[in-house]
Amino acid sequence: MNPLTTTRFTTVRSALTLSPAEQAAGDDIHQLHALVLAGFSAPNEALPRPRGVLFAAHRGAPQQDRRTRLLAAQPERILVQAPTVPRWEPLLASGRLIKAETFPVEHAFSAGDIIDIQVTASPVMRSFRTRKRVSLTAPDDASRWLQRQLAHGGLETTLDHIRPGQGIHVTGTRARSGDRITVVYRNMTARCRVLAPGTLKQTMAQGLGPAKAYGCGLLRVRHVP
């Protein structure tokens, strides 16, 4: 790797283990988002809206409902990424979290590098009729969506190197309006070639695709020798 053409991405991540009560509350994706944001709140202050906070939940096997949809299991652990160091101590002291480990992460990217990516993503399209986002239900459509998103993010891949995962439903309720939230996510993987290291750095920081507030978009990267 040529240090003159290498782009470095640095961030802070936290691995959180939820208490049983928080796992149950995390069935509501709005509540799960609020838990993540609580790590960036000063004591006795209202929740801020920090920029650049991404997270991904580790869940058990999804269950099928009467409509043959796959429903997400409760979140057990969360990986959180942010440009600033969070404060998990109040959540640990109150018993909402069982464990919290915060650590630095650094990646070095050069054009031509081969990497494997994992991402919990919500593949969608814009409805021509309603202009609302509609989930892509066909695996091939989801794979093509990821290929386009990765291309915008400085990466090149082929459909043969994408594993789209299953479409899994999570729901929640917005606190102020009471509106119901439904997100369909997929745990997706791909092997990619780095084309634009600087663009990839931005994508790593900003996340991929929509529904970032609900556990989508955080890229996990492994360099392939």
Side-chain angles (χ1 to χ4, degrees), residues 66-135:
R66 295 177 181 177
R67 296 163 58 184
T68 70
R69 301 181 306 173
L70 287 177
L71 303 182
Q74 294 179 357
E76 300 168 353
R77 298 185 299 279
I78 308 176
L79 181 66
V80 181
Q81 174 179 298
T84 58
V85 178
R87 295 181 65 255
W88 303 117
E89 291 81 5
L91 297 180
L92 289 165
S94 65
R96 298 179 69 185
L97 296 180
I98 295 174
K99 188 177 182 181
E101 297 178 316
T102 298
F103 48 91
V105 171
E106 179 174 343
H107 290 288
F109 300 114
S110 295
D113 286 351
I114 304 298
I115 61 174
D116 286 334
I117 66 102
Q118 298 180 12
V119 61
T120 300
S122 179
V124 295
M125 63 174 290
R126 185 77 67 179
S127 169
F128 291 109
R129 184 174 62 84
T130 65
R131 305 309 301 165
K132 294 182 178 179
R133 289 172 174 168
V134 179
S135 295

Coordinates of all heavy atoms in Angstrom, one line a residue, residues 66-135:
R66 N -48.3 -14.6 10.3 CA -49.4 -15.2 9.6 C -49.3 -14.8 8.1 O -49.9 -15.5 7.2 CB -50.7 -14.8 10.2 CG -50.9 -15.4 11.6 CD -52.3 -14.9 12.2 NE -52.5 -15.5 13.5 CZ -53.5 -15.2 14.3 NH1 -54.5 -14.4 13.8 NH2 -53.6 -15.7 15.5
R67 N -48.8 -13.6 7.8 CA -48.7 -13.1 6.5 C -47.4 -13.5 5.8 O -47.0 -13.0 4.7 CB -48.8 -11.6 6.5 CG -50.1 -11.1 7.0 CD -50.1 -9.6 7.4 NE -49.7 -8.8 6.3 CZ -49.5 -7.5 6.4 NH1 -49.6 -6.9 7.5 NH2 -49.1 -6.7 5.3
T68 N -46.7 -14.5 6.4 CA -45.4 -15.0 5.9 C -44.3 -14.0 5.9 O -43.3 -14.2 5.2 CB -45.5 -15.7 4.5 OG1 -45.8 -14.7 3.5 CG2 -46.7 -16.7 4.6
R69 N -44.5 -12.9 6.6 CA -43.4 -11.9 6.7 C -42.4 -12.4 7.8 O -42.8 -13.0 8.7 CB -43.9 -10.5 7.1 CG -44.9 -9.9 6.1 CD -45.4 -8.6 6.6 NE -45.9 -8.6 8.0 CZ -46.2 -7.6 8.7 NH1 -46.0 -6.4 8.3 NH2 -46.6 -7.7 10.0
L70 N -41.2 -12.0 7.6 CA -40.2 -12.3 8.7 C -40.1 -11.1 9.6 O -39.9 -10.0 9.2 CB -38.8 -12.5 8.0 CG -38.6 -13.9 7.3 CD1 -37.2 -13.9 6.7 CD2 -38.8 -15.0 8.3
L71 N -40.4 -11.3 10.9 CA -40.4 -10.3 11.9 C -39.1 -10.4 12.7 O -38.6 -11.5 13.1 CB -41.6 -10.4 12.8 CG -42.9 -10.4 12.2 CD1 -44.0 -10.5 13.2 CD2 -43.1 -9.2 11.3
A72 N -38.4 -9.2 12.9 CA -37.2 -9.2 13.6 C -37.3 -9.7 15.1 O -38.3 -9.4 15.8 CB -36.6 -7.8 13.6
A73 N -36.3 -10.4 15.5 CA -36.2 -10.8 16.9 C -35.7 -9.6 17.7 O -35.3 -8.5 17.2 CB -35.2 -11.9 17.1
Q74 N -35.8 -9.7 19.0 CA -35.4 -8.6 19.9 C -33.9 -8.3 19.7 O -33.1 -9.3 19.5 CB -35.6 -8.9 21.4 CG -37.1 -9.0 21.7 CD -37.4 -9.3 23.2 OE1 -36.4 -9.5 23.9 NE2 -38.6 -9.3 23.6
P75 N -33.4 -7.1 19.8 CA -32.0 -6.8 19.7 C -31.3 -7.2 21.0 O -31.8 -7.0 22.1 CB -31.9 -5.3 19.6 CG -33.2 -4.8 20.3 CD -34.2 -5.9 20.0
E76 N -30.1 -7.9 20.8 CA -29.4 -8.4 22.0 C -28.1 -7.5 22.2 O -27.8 -7.2 23.3 CB -28.9 -9.8 21.7 CG -30.1 -10.8 21.5 CD -29.6 -12.1 21.0 OE1 -28.4 -12.3 20.6 OE2 -30.5 -13.0 20.9
R77 N -27.5 -7.1 21.1 CA -26.3 -6.3 21.2 C -26.4 -5.2 20.1 O -27.0 -5.4 19.1 CB -25.0 -7.1 21.0 CG -24.8 -8.2 22.1 CD -23.5 -8.9 22.0 NE -23.3 -9.6 20.7 CZ -23.9 -10.8 20.5 NH1 -24.6 -11.4 21.4 NH2 -23.7 -11.4 19.3
I78 N -25.7 -4.1 20.3 CA -25.7 -3.0 19.4 C -24.2 -2.6 19.1 O -23.5 -2.5 20.1 CB -26.5 -1.8 19.8 CG1 -27.9 -2.2 20.3 CG2 -26.6 -0.8 18.7 CD1 -28.7 -1.1 20.8
L79 N -23.9 -2.3 17.9 CA -22.6 -1.7 17.5 C -22.9 -0.3 17.1 O -23.7 0.0 16.2 CB -22.0 -2.4 16.4 CG -20.6 -1.9 15.9 CD1 -19.6 -2.0 17.0 CD2 -20.2 -2.6 14.6
V80 N -22.3 0.7 17.8 CA -22.6 2.1 17.6 C -21.3 2.8 17.0 O -20.2 2.5 17.6 CB -23.0 2.8 18.9 CG1 -23.3 4.3 18.6 CG2 -24.3 2.1 19.5
Q81 N -21.5 3.6 16.0 CA -20.4 4.4 15.5 C -20.7 5.9 15.6 O -21.8 6.3 15.3 CB -20.1 4.1 14.0 CG -19.0 4.9 13.4 CD -18.8 4.5 11.9 OE1 -18.4 3.4 11.7 NE2 -19.1 5.4 11.0
A82 N -19.7 6.7 16.0 CA -19.9 8.2 16.1 C -18.6 8.9 16.0 O -17.5 8.3 16.4 CB -20.6 8.5 17.5
P83 N -18.6 10.1 15.6 CA -17.4 10.9 15.5 C -16.9 11.4 16.9 O -15.8 11.9 17.0 CB -17.8 12.1 14.6 CG -19.2 12.2 14.8 CD -19.8 10.9 15.0
T84 N -17.8 11.3 17.9 CA -17.4 11.7 19.3 C -17.5 10.6 20.2 O -18.2 9.6 20.0 CB -18.3 12.9 19.8 OG1 -19.7 12.4 19.7 CG2 -18.1 14.1 18.9
V85 N -16.8 10.7 21.4 CA -16.8 9.6 22.4 C -18.1 9.7 23.2 O -18.4 10.7 23.8 CB -15.6 9.7 23.3 CG1 -15.7 8.6 24.4 CG2 -14.3 9.6 22.5
P86 N -18.9 8.6 23.3 CA -20.2 8.6 24.0 C -19.9 8.4 25.5 O -18.8 8.1 25.9 CB -20.9 7.4 23.4 CG -19.9 6.5 23.0 CD -18.7 7.3 22.5
R87 N -21.0 8.6 26.3 CA -21.0 8.4 27.7 C -22.0 7.3 28.0 O -23.2 7.6 28.1 CB -21.3 9.6 28.5 CG -20.3 10.8 28.4 CD -20.7 12.0 29.2 NE -20.7 11.7 30.6 CZ -21.8 11.5 31.3 NH1 -23.0 11.5 30.8 NH2 -21.7 11.3 32.6
W88 N -21.6 6.1 28.2 CA -22.5 5.0 28.5 C -22.6 4.7 30.0 O -23.5 3.9 30.4 CB -22.0 3.7 27.8 CG -21.8 3.8 26.3 CD1 -20.7 3.7 25.6 CD2 -22.9 4.1 25.4 NE1 -20.9 3.9 24.3 CE2 -22.2 4.1 24.1 CE3 -24.2 4.3 25.5 CZ2 -22.9 4.3 22.9 CZ3 -24.9 4.6 24.3 CH2 -24.3 4.6 23.0
E89 N -21.9 5.4 30.8 CA -21.9 5.1 32.3 C -23.3 5.3 32.9 O -23.6 4.4 33.7 CB -20.9 6.1 33.0 CG -19.4 5.8 32.7 CD -19.0 6.4 31.4 OE1 -19.8 7.1 30.8 OE2 -17.8 6.2 31.0
P90 N -24.0 6.3 32.6 CA -25.4 6.4 33.2 C -26.3 5.2 32.8 O -27.1 4.8 33.7 CB -25.9 7.7 32.6 CG -24.7 8.5 32.3 CD -23.7 7.6 31.8
L91 N -26.2 4.7 31.6 CA -27.0 3.6 31.2 C -26.5 2.3 31.8 O -27.3 1.4 32.1 CB -26.9 3.4 29.7 CG -27.5 4.6 28.9 CD1 -27.4 4.3 27.4 CD2 -29.0 4.9 29.2
L92 N -25.2 2.2 32.1 CA -24.7 1.0 32.8 C -25.1 1.1 34.3 O -25.5 0.1 34.9 CB -23.2 1.0 32.7 CG -22.6 0.6 31.4 CD1 -21.1 1.0 31.3 CD2 -22.8 -0.9 31.1
A93 N -25.1 2.3 34.9 CA -25.4 2.5 36.3 C -26.9 2.2 36.5 O -27.3 1.6 37.6 CB -25.1 3.9 36.8
S94 N -27.7 2.5 35.6 CA -29.2 2.3 35.7 C -29.6 0.9 35.3 O -30.8 0.5 35.5 CB -30.0 3.3 34.9 OG -29.7 3.1 33.5
G95 N -28.7 0.1 34.8 CA -29.0 -1.3 34.5 C -29.6 -1.5 33.1 O -30.0 -2.6 32.7
R96 N -29.7 -0.4 32.3 CA -30.2 -0.5 31.0 C -29.2 -1.2 30.0 O -29.6 -1.9 29.1 CB -30.6 0.9 30.4 CG -31.6 1.6 31.2 CD -31.9 3.0 30.6 NE -32.6 2.9 29.3 CZ -32.9 3.9 28.5 NH1 -32.5 5.1 28.9 NH2 -33.5 3.7 27.4
L97 N -28.0 -1.1 30.3 CA -26.9 -1.8 29.6 C -26.2 -2.7 30.6 O -25.9 -2.3 31.7 CB -25.9 -0.8 29.0 CG -26.4 0.1 27.9 CD1 -25.2 1.0 27.4 CD2 -27.0 -0.7 26.7
I98 N -25.8 -3.9 30.1 CA -25.1 -4.8 30.9 C -23.6 -4.6 30.7 O -22.8 -4.7 31.6 CB -25.4 -6.3 30.5 CG1 -26.9 -6.6 30.9 CG2 -24.5 -7.3 31.2 CD1 -27.4 -7.9 30.5
K99 N -23.2 -4.2 29.5 CA -21.8 -4.1 29.1 C -21.7 -3.0 28.0 O -22.5 -2.9 27.1 CB -21.2 -5.4 28.7 CG -19.7 -5.4 28.5 CD -19.2 -6.8 28.1 CE -17.7 -6.9 28.0 NZ -17.3 -8.3 27.6
A100 N -20.6 -2.2 28.1 CA -20.3 -1.3 27.0 C -18.8 -1.1 26.8 O -18.1 -0.8 27.8 CB -20.9 0.1 27.4
E101 N -18.3 -1.4 25.6 CA -16.9 -1.3 25.3 C -16.8 -0.3 24.2 O -17.4 -0.5 23.1 CB -16.3 -2.6 24.9 CG -16.3 -3.7 26.0 CD -15.8 -5.0 25.5 OE1 -16.1 -5.4 24.4 OE2 -15.0 -5.6 26.3
T102 N -16.0 0.8 24.4 CA -15.7 1.8 23.4 C -14.3 1.7 22.9 O -13.4 1.6 23.7 CB -16.0 3.2 23.9 OG1 -17.4 3.2 24.3 CG2 -15.7 4.3 22.9
F103 N -14.1 1.8 21.6 CA -12.7 1.5 21.1 C -12.6 2.3 19.7 O -13.5 2.6 19.0 CB -12.5 0.0 20.8 CG -13.6 -0.6 20.1 CD1 -13.6 -0.7 18.7 CD2 -14.7 -1.2 20.8 CE1 -14.6 -1.3 18.0 CE2 -15.8 -1.8 20.1 CZ -15.7 -1.9 18.7
P104 N -11.3 2.7 19.4 CA -11.1 3.4 18.1 C -11.1 2.4 17.0 O -10.7 1.2 17.2 CB -9.7 4.0 18.4 CG -9.0 3.1 19.3 CD -10.1 2.6 20.2
V105 N -11.4 2.8 15.8 CA -11.4 2.0 14.6 C -10.6 2.8 13.5 O -10.9 4.0 13.4 CB -12.8 1.6 14.1 CG1 -12.7 1.0 12.7 CG2 -13.5 0.7 15.1
E106 N -9.7 2.2 12.8 CA -9.0 2.9 11.7 C -8.9 1.9 10.5 O -8.6 0.7 10.7 CB -7.6 3.3 12.2 CG -6.8 4.0 11.0 CD -5.5 4.6 11.5 OE1 -5.3 4.7 12.7 OE2 -4.7 4.8 10.6
H107 N -9.2 2.4 9.4 CA -9.0 1.7 8.1 C -8.2 2.6 7.2 O -8.3 3.8 7.2 CB -10.3 1.4 7.4 CG -11.2 0.4 8.2 ND1 -10.8 -1.0 8.2 CD2 -12.3 0.5 8.9 CE1 -11.7 -1.6 8.9 NE2 -12.6 -0.8 9.3
A108 N -7.3 1.9 6.4 CA -6.5 2.6 5.4 C -6.9 2.1 4.0 O -6.9 0.8 3.8 CB -5.0 2.4 5.6
F109 N -7.4 2.9 3.1 CA -7.9 2.5 1.8 C -7.0 3.1 0.7 O -6.6 4.3 0.7 CB -9.3 3.0 1.6 CG -10.3 2.4 2.6 CD1 -10.9 3.3 3.5 CD2 -10.6 1.1 2.7 CE1 -11.8 2.8 4.4 CE2 -11.5 0.6 3.6 CZ -12.1 1.5 4.5
S110 N -6.7 2.3 -0.3 CA -6.0 2.7 -1.5 C -6.8 2.2 -2.7 O -7.5 1.2 -2.6 CB -4.6 2.2 -1.6 OG -3.8 2.8 -0.6
A111 N -6.8 2.9 -3.8 CA -7.5 2.5 -5.0 C -6.9 1.1 -5.4 O -5.7 0.9 -5.5 CB -7.2 3.5 -6.2
G112 N -7.9 0.2 -5.7 CA -7.5 -1.2 -6.1 C -7.6 -2.2 -5.0 O -7.6 -3.4 -5.2
D113 N -7.7 -1.7 -3.7 CA -7.9 -2.6 -2.6 C -9.1 -3.5 -2.8 O -10.2 -3.0 -3.3 CB -8.0 -1.9 -1.3 CG -6.7 -1.3 -0.8 OD1 -5.6 -1.6 -1.4 OD2 -6.7 -0.5 0.1
I114 N -9.1 -4.7 -2.3 CA -10.2 -5.6 -2.3 C -10.7 -5.7 -0.9 O -9.9 -6.0 0.0 CB -9.9 -7.0 -2.8 CG1 -9.4 -6.9 -4.3 CG2 -11.2 -7.9 -2.8 CD1 -10.3 -6.2 -5.3
I115 N -12.0 -5.4 -0.6 CA -12.5 -5.5 0.7 C -13.9 -6.2 0.7 O -14.6 -6.3 -0.3 CB -12.7 -4.1 1.3 CG1 -13.8 -3.3 0.5 CG2 -11.4 -3.3 1.4 CD1 -14.1 -1.9 1.1
D116 N -14.2 -6.8 1.8 CA -15.5 -7.4 2.1 C -16.3 -6.4 3.0 O -15.7 -5.9 4.0 CB -15.4 -8.8 2.8 CG -14.9 -9.9 1.9 OD1 -15.1 -9.7 0.6 OD2 -14.3 -10.8 2.3
I117 N -17.5 -6.2 2.6 CA -18.3 -5.3 3.4 C -19.6 -6.0 3.9 O -20.1 -7.0 3.3 CB -18.8 -4.0 2.7 CG1 -19.7 -4.3 1.5 CG2 -17.5 -3.3 2.2 CD1 -21.2 -4.1 1.8
Q118 N -20.0 -5.7 5.1 CA -21.3 -6.1 5.7 C -22.1 -4.9 6.0 O -21.5 -3.9 6.6 CB -21.1 -6.9 7.0 CG -20.3 -8.2 6.8 CD -20.1 -9.0 8.1 OE1 -20.8 -8.6 9.1 NE2 -19.3 -9.9 8.1
V119 N -23.3 -4.9 5.8 CA -24.2 -3.7 6.1 C -25.6 -4.2 6.3 O -26.1 -5.0 5.6 CB -24.1 -2.6 5.0 CG1 -24.6 -3.2 3.7 CG2 -24.8 -1.4 5.4
T120 N -26.2 -3.7 7.4 CA -27.7 -3.8 7.5 C -28.3 -2.6 6.8 O -28.1 -1.5 7.1 CB -28.0 -3.7 9.0 OG1 -27.4 -4.8 9.7 CG2 -29.6 -3.9 9.2
A121 N -29.0 -2.9 5.7 CA -29.5 -1.9 4.8 C -31.0 -2.1 4.6 O -31.6 -3.1 4.8 CB -28.7 -2.0 3.5
S122 N -31.6 -1.0 4.1 CA -33.0 -1.0 3.8 C -33.2 -0.6 2.3 O -33.3 0.6 2.0 CB -33.8 0.0 4.6 OG -35.1 0.1 4.3
P123 N -33.1 -1.6 1.4 CA -33.2 -1.3 -0.1 C -34.6 -0.8 -0.4 O -35.6 -1.5 -0.1 CB -32.9 -2.6 -0.7 CG -32.2 -3.4 0.3 CD -32.8 -3.0 1.6
V124 N -34.7 0.4 -1.0 CA -36.0 1.0 -1.4 C -35.9 1.6 -2.8 O -34.9 1.8 -3.4 CB -36.4 2.1 -0.4 CG1 -36.6 1.5 1.0 CG2 -35.3 3.2 -0.3
M125 N -37.1 1.9 -3.3 CA -37.3 2.7 -4.5 C -38.3 3.7 -4.2 O -39.1 3.6 -3.3 CB -37.7 1.8 -5.7 CG -39.1 1.1 -5.5 SD -39.6 0.3 -7.0 CE -39.9 1.6 -8.1
R126 N -38.4 4.8 -5.1 CA -39.3 5.9 -4.9 C -40.5 5.5 -5.8 O -40.4 5.3 -7.0 CB -38.7 7.2 -5.3 CG -39.6 8.4 -5.1 CD -39.7 8.8 -3.7 NE -38.4 9.3 -3.2 CZ -38.3 9.8 -2.0 NH1 -39.3 9.8 -1.1 NH2 -37.1 10.3 -1.5
S127 N -41.7 5.4 -5.2 CA -42.9 5.2 -6.0 C -43.2 6.3 -6.9 O -43.3 7.5 -6.5 CB -44.1 4.9 -5.1 OG -45.3 4.9 -5.8
F128 N -43.5 6.0 -8.2 CA -43.8 7.1 -9.2 C -45.2 7.7 -8.9 O -45.4 8.9 -9.1 CB -43.8 6.5 -10.6 CG -42.5 6.1 -11.1 CD1 -42.1 4.8 -11.3 CD2 -41.5 7.1 -11.4 CE1 -40.8 4.5 -11.7 CE2 -40.3 6.8 -11.9 CZ -39.9 5.4 -12.0
R129 N -46.1 6.9 -8.3 CA -47.4 7.4 -8.0 C -47.5 8.2 -6.7 O -48.0 9.3 -6.7 CB -48.4 6.2 -7.9 CG -49.8 6.6 -7.7 CD -50.8 5.4 -7.8 NE -50.5 4.5 -6.7 CZ -51.0 4.6 -5.5 NH1 -51.8 5.6 -5.2 NH2 -50.7 3.7 -4.6
T130 N -46.9 7.7 -5.6 CA -47.1 8.4 -4.3 C -45.8 9.2 -4.0 O -45.8 10.0 -3.0 CB -47.3 7.4 -3.2 OG1 -46.2 6.5 -3.1 CG2 -48.6 6.6 -3.6
R131 N -44.7 9.0 -4.6 CA -43.4 9.6 -4.3 C -42.8 9.1 -3.0 O -41.9 9.7 -2.5 CB -43.4 11.1 -4.4 CG -43.9 11.7 -5.7 CD -43.2 11.1 -6.9 NE -41.8 11.3 -6.8 CZ -40.9 10.7 -7.6 NH1 -41.2 9.8 -8.4 NH2 -39.6 11.0 -7.5
K132 N -43.5 8.1 -2.4 CA -43.0 7.6 -1.1 C -42.0 6.4 -1.4 O -42.0 5.8 -2.4 CB -44.1 7.1 -0.3 CG -45.1 8.1 0.2 CD -46.2 7.6 1.1 CE -47.1 8.7 1.6 NZ -48.2 8.1 2.5
R133 N -41.2 6.2 -0.4 CA -40.2 5.0 -0.5 C -40.9 3.7 -0.3 O -41.8 3.6 0.6 CB -39.1 5.2 0.5 CG -38.1 6.3 0.2 CD -37.2 6.5 1.4 NE -36.1 7.5 1.1 CZ -35.3 8.0 2.0 NH1 -35.4 7.6 3.2 NH2 -34.4 8.8 1.6
V134 N -40.6 2.8 -1.2 CA -41.2 1.4 -1.2 C -40.1 0.4 -1.1 O -39.1 0.5 -1.8 CB -42.1 1.2 -2.4 CG1 -42.7 -0.2 -2.4 CG2 -43.2 2.2 -2.5
S135 N -40.2 -0.5 -0.2 CA -39.2 -1.6 0.0 C -39.1 -2.5 -1.2 O -40.1 -2.8 -1.8 CB -39.5 -2.4 1.3 OG -39.4 -1.6 2.4

